[in-house]
Amino acid sequence: MKTETKSRIVVFFLSLLVWILITMVFSIPSLIAGVIMALITAIFAGEMLIITERKFHLKRVWYTIEYLVKFIWELFKANFNVAYIVIHPLLPIKPGIVKVKTKLKRDSALTMLANSITLTPGTLTVDIDVDNQILYVHWIDVKFTDIEQTTEFIGGRFEKLLEEIFE
Amino acid sequence: MPDLAINQIIGYVIICIGVIFDLFGVLGLVRLPDVYNRLQAATKSVTFGSAGILFGVFVYSGFTSMGFKAILCAIFILLTSPVSAHAIAKAAHSAGIKLTDKTVIDLYQEDKELQK
């Protein structure tokens, strides 16, 4: 089966599931409306979900769960960090923009890495240089400016997991 | 005290925590010095706070239509809020908005000047 067709079928069933979950009405007219909406979604935006031919590994599911747990924990820490900075009377900040190198190549992986960096303590992705694989990161409390150390400190937490999930 | 089921009490507690973190985010918007630092507070606290409130709504209402809508909104907030933050930060930097005086380093500016 072609990748595009497969992707459309997955999108169709996912949208139908979302429709059923958000309406929670199990009558025939509602389900027919859901099927029509899911079909429209699958026709217009269906080919974007799955873009590569890859085997489904159970290992990737495990890595995704590990990533989510880590991500939520870091998000939690980030919020206490912001709360501490904001309440502190002297505003203990030392902001700056540093560079982070990355090994990831695919767009989806880079987007997830940038999002993860933004939602973790003290860092915010400003720009990505895709050709040189460099992320520019605004850091509220700059500890080191050397590119090797920043890569280890900021990117290292998620990069390995994202490499396993997306590459 | 009205009769509340246990999930409703937990839901209210989570909503309260979310509101508290939203409050920290707002405080950060007022107190921090420049666009970039304010974005830091806005993305982290407001994302966590708003997603927390929506998760509280899910716990409060359980597996109903309202609960699933809340979860869906929370997922979309978590996915889109960092992206809009990148867009604003990049636009601000391109427009030449200066970083605060406390800034120690700006490698982005240096690289931009190198490319010219």
Side-chain angles (χ1 to χ4, degrees):
Chain A
M1 198 190 288
K2 265 169 65 189
T3 323
E4 204 175 288
T5 338
K6 210 166 50 183
S7 172
R8 279 185 207 280
I9 291 169
V10 172
V11 167
F12 174 77
F13 282 107
L14 267 181
S15 4
L16 193 59
L17 182 72
V18 169
W19 173 275
I20 291 168
L21 286 182
I22 66 173
T23 55
M24 278 286 172
V25 181
F26 295 98
S27 65
I28 300 291
S30 160
L31 285 180
I32 290 172
V35 168
I36 292 168
M37 295 317 281
L39 264 179
I40 292 172
T41 318
I43 288 165
F44 283 106
E47 77 277 9
M48 291 174 204
L49 187 66
I50 303 171
I51 26 182
T52 46
E53 289 281 352
R54 272 177 312 175
K55 290 265 160 54
F56 180 80
H57 279 301
L58 206 62
K59 228 173 149 190
R60 294 235 314 273
V61 177
W62 170 248
Y63 281 123
T64 311
I65 293 168
E66 198 182 331
Y67 166 76
L68 282 177
V69 169
K70 208 170 183 176
F71 173 73
I72 290 168
W73 172 239
E74 293 287 336
L75 184 57
F76 202 64
K77 271 197 335 205
N79 276 278
F80 279 101
N81 186 23
V82 168
Y84 168 75
I85 289 171
V86 168
I87 295 174
H88 200 287
L90 295 174
L91 279 182
I93 56 169
K94 200 176 139 198
I97 296 181
V98 295
K99 288 199 274 192
V100 172
K101 238 195 303 201
T102 174
K103 282 173 288 187
L104 305 172
K105 286 191 193 72
R106 293 168 53 89
D107 283 353
S108 49
L110 278 171
T111 311
M112 285 313 288
L113 180 67
N115 279 1
S116 311
I117 286 174
T118 298
L119 291 176
T120 49
T123 50
L124 172 97
T125 317
V126 176
D127 199 4
I128 300 180
D129 187 344
V130 182
D131 301 329
N132 302 324
Q133 292 181 305
I134 286 172
L135 292 131
Y136 296 94
V137 175
H138 182 268
W139 198 355
I140 206 165
D141 183 23
V142 177
K143 292 198 178 67
F144 8 78
T145 52
D146 180 53
I147 189 162
E148 300 295 329
Q149 282 172 305
T150 52
T151 304
E152 185 59 36
F153 192 81
I154 297 173
R157 288 178 285 204
F158 294 111
E159 207 172 3
K160 280 198 193 92
L161 283 171
L162 284 170
E163 210 174 353
E164 296 286 348
I165 297 168
F166 285 104
E167 302 277 323
Chain B
M1 182 89 192
D3 282 339
L4 288 172
I6 187 78
N7 68 319
Q8 290 178 322
I9 297 171
I10 296 171
Y12 275 129
V13 170
I14 297 174
I15 290 173
C16 287
I17 293 170
V19 171
I20 290 168
F21 277 110
D22 264 358
L23 179 71
F24 286 138
V26 172
L27 263 177
L29 275 179
V30 177
R31 286 201 68 199
L32 290 168
D34 66 353
V35 180
Y36 311 96
N37 290 310
R38 284 177 177 165
L39 271 176
Q40 296 250 11
T43 46
K44 290 179 187 70
S45 296
V46 175
T47 306
F48 190 72
S50 313
I53 292 171
L54 288 164
F55 187 70
V57 171
F58 171 69
V59 173
Y60 177 87
S61 60
F63 293 93
T64 59
S65 153
M66 188 162 115
F68 282 117
K69 275 174 197 152
I71 281 289
L72 209 64
C73 289
I75 292 170
F76 279 119
I77 284 183
L78 279 177
L79 281 176
T80 54
S81 147
V83 179
S84 56
H86 311 322
I88 296 170
K90 197 185 169 188
H93 208 282
S94 313
I97 295 173
K98 289 209 168 51
L99 281 84
T100 168
D101 297 337
K102 285 183 179 175
T103 305
V104 284
I105 189 167
D106 187 357
L107 292 172
Y108 190 37
Q109 187 66 34
E110 283 171 25
D111 276 19
K112 266 188 180 170
E113 275 159 17
L114 274 180
Q115 278 169 8
K116 273 178 192 167

